[in-house]
Amino acid sequence: MSYSDQIPFIPPSLVENPEPRCPCLLLLDTSGSMNGRPIAELNAGLEHFKQELSSDDMAMQRVEVAVMTFGPVKLISDFVSADAFRPPSLSAGGNTPMGAAITQGLDLLEQRKQTYRAAGVSYYRPWVFLITDGGPSDTWQNAAHRVREGDSPTKKSFSFFVVGVEGADMSKLSQICSPNRPPMKLQGLSFRELFSWLSSSLSGVARSQPGQAVLLPPPSGWSEV
């Protein structure tokens, strides 16, 4: 049974806090090539992400975070509000089943959207943020089709961002992303700056109204041109 086949359970948090939600799914590469300093810096970046979100009361009420890793695919943390999010301590190992991670992640996101609808809670266009230092080691074409269709200007089911760490197959990642949202290259191991940008962007979305266009800050300080 896939995530989307399950009957939505309405968590008490959605009943107690009827604020619109901005879901953000983190798809994080924890394959063996991320071992050492890369995984350490990624963990530090997640801690910083939590700290940054905690400084914005509106984001704490409206932003929800889920974490799924691949190497192998594992759901580390299902969607929870930013105030309940606890940054995991990730370790590296295995290959890079990116296609399976994207597919299972999008299923998980669809289930969460069903839960919002069942609870009568409105939501913003979800964010999916994939970070990798390689390329998919499994079949990825169907996953890419779902990404490009869901992140198209007509459908707008979600916004799919990809960040390539040193060693990432940027050509392959470009085939997965929507043409309107090409992959970005991380400067060195600037995960802290990356997650500062992500938290700032999500905070801006959380202060808007669902469906309203939000101007995102430029990815300066962490993305290579």
Side-chain angles (χ1 to χ4, degrees), residues 7-171:
I7 299 173
F9 164 74
I10 301 177
S13 60
L14 291 179
V15 178
E16 297 162 1
N17 173 17
E19 291 283 344
R21 295 304 203 277
C22 177
C24 177
L25 170 62
L26 302 178
L27 294 177
L28 306 177
D29 184 349
T30 55
S31 60
S33 56
M34 285 287 289
N35 196 35
R37 189 159 168 246
I39 200 72
E41 293 294 335
L42 176 57
N43 281 324
L46 289 169
E47 291 284 350
H48 186 66
F49 181 50
K50 169 64 177 185
Q51 294 171 11
E52 292 276 294
L53 286 176
S54 298
S55 66
D56 188 319
D57 290 340
M58 187 66 77
M60 291 290 276
Q61 295 182 63
R62 294 185 170 185
V63 173
E64 290 194 338
V65 182
V67 178
M68 182 175 285
T69 59
F70 50 101
V73 180
K74 184 177 181 181
L75 178 60
I76 302 297
S77 173
D78 205 340
F79 283 104
V80 293
S81 59
D83 62 342
F85 173 63
R86 299 292 178 266
S89 179
L90 304 175
S91 57
N95 54 12
T96 316
M98 190 185 303
I102 292 172
T103 297
Q104 293 184 40
L106 294 181
D107 286 347
L108 179 71
L109 180 59
E110 184 57 38
Q111 182 201 24
R112 193 60 178 175
K113 289 161 69 173
Q114 291 175 11
T115 301
Y116 294 148
R117 290 191 285 266
V121 171
S122 60
Y123 57 90
Y124 301 87
R125 184 177 179 178
W127 282 39
V128 183
F129 218 84
L130 186 149
I131 300 175
T132 180
D133 73 337
S137 60
D138 61 351
T139 302
W140 54 272
Q141 286 80 3
N142 288 340
H145 176 73
R146 287 185 64 180
V147 170
R148 295 165 78 90
E149 180 182 46
D151 195 18
S152 65
T154 52
K155 197 158 187 181
K156 296 182 179 180
S157 296
F158 48 78
S159 297
F160 197 96
F161 300 85
V162 173
V163 176
V165 185
E166 184 66 35
D169 187 340
M170 300 303 289
S171 175

Side-chain angles (χ1 to χ4, degrees), residues 134-220:
S137 60
D138 61 351
T139 302
W140 54 272
Q141 286 80 3
N142 288 340
H145 176 73
R146 287 185 64 180
V147 170
R148 295 165 78 90
E149 180 182 46
D151 195 18
S152 65
T154 52
K155 197 158 187 181
K156 296 182 179 180
S157 296
F158 48 78
S159 297
F160 197 96
F161 300 85
V162 173
V163 176
V165 185
E166 184 66 35
D169 187 340
M170 300 303 289
S171 175
K172 189 67 64 63
L173 296 179
S174 295
Q175 297 177 57
I176 293 174
C177 293
S178 165
N180 301 301
R181 207 184 308 276
M184 297 172 282
K185 184 71 177 294
L186 187 70
Q187 286 183 10
L189 294 174
S190 303
F191 286 110
R192 181 185 176 93
E193 293 79 6
L194 161 63
F195 280 106
S196 286
W197 178 88
L198 179 57
S199 62
S200 176
S201 300
L202 290 172
S203 292
V205 172
R207 287 191 293 271
S208 69
Q209 296 299 316
Q212 178 183 345
V214 176
L215 183 63
L216 301 180
S220 57

